[in-house]
Amino acid sequence: QVQLVESGGGLVQAGGSLRLSCAASGVIFATSPLGWYRQAPGKQREFVARVTGMGDATYADSVKGRFTISRDNTKNTMYLQMISLAPEDTAVYHCMIEFPLGRRAWGQGTQVTVTS
């Protein structure tokens, strides 16, 4: 059974930093693409960043230069380092793992709140 557990969210002032973690179990982790998505109140879930099994990363324009996605296959864990946080980054952040044929599994999310 696939399980993804996010951690590291919290309350931070604008300009601050946070590092999110996503620990995976029950899945072959090393070759699977992984991603972070976020959902703000009243808005649809949106793409934040993605990293392939080879470590190639892509980012939403809104977070480029501020967020860094990474993975440690020895720990079955993915990270999202966030700097220069702004109030518009406030959302529940979910991690995601991709499987063949378009299937995905999601974590329950971790809340990030940025105050001005």
Side-chain angles (χ1 to χ4, degrees):
Q1 181 178 355
V2 177
Q3 187 173 20
L4 300 175
V5 179
E6 301 96 334
S7 61
L11 180 67
V12 64
Q13 287 188 331
S17 302
L18 283 173
R19 189 176 82 152
L20 306 183
S21 299
C22 173
S25 60
V27 64
I28 299 174
F29 183 87
T31 58
S32 299
L34 306 166
W36 287 97
Y37 284 70
R38 66 186 181 186
Q39 187 165 19
K43 295 187 177 181
Q44 290 189 331
R45 187 174 296 186
E46 65 173 1
F47 168 76
V48 175
R50 179 180 182 268
V51 61
T52 68
M54 297 297 292
D56 296 322
T58 55
Y59 298 92
D61 287 343
S62 59
V63 306
K64 278 181 183 177
R66 301 187 300 122
F67 290 11
T68 303
I69 189 171
S70 61
R71 61 192 297 163
D72 185 340
N73 292 337
T74 67
K75 297 181 179 179
N76 275 19
T77 302
M78 172 178 63
Y79 305 97
L80 186 68
Q81 178 67 51
M82 306 185 293
I83 66 171
S84 302
L85 284 162
E88 51 266 35
D89 295 316
T90 295
V92 176
Y93 284 70
H94 298 269
C95 65
M96 178 276 298
I97 185 168
E98 297 178 15
F99 299 110
L101 304 178
R103 293 184 302 118
R104 294 180 172 185
W106 297 87
Q108 83 290 346
T110 185
Q111 176 70 48
V112 171
T113 302
V114 184
T115 61
S116 57

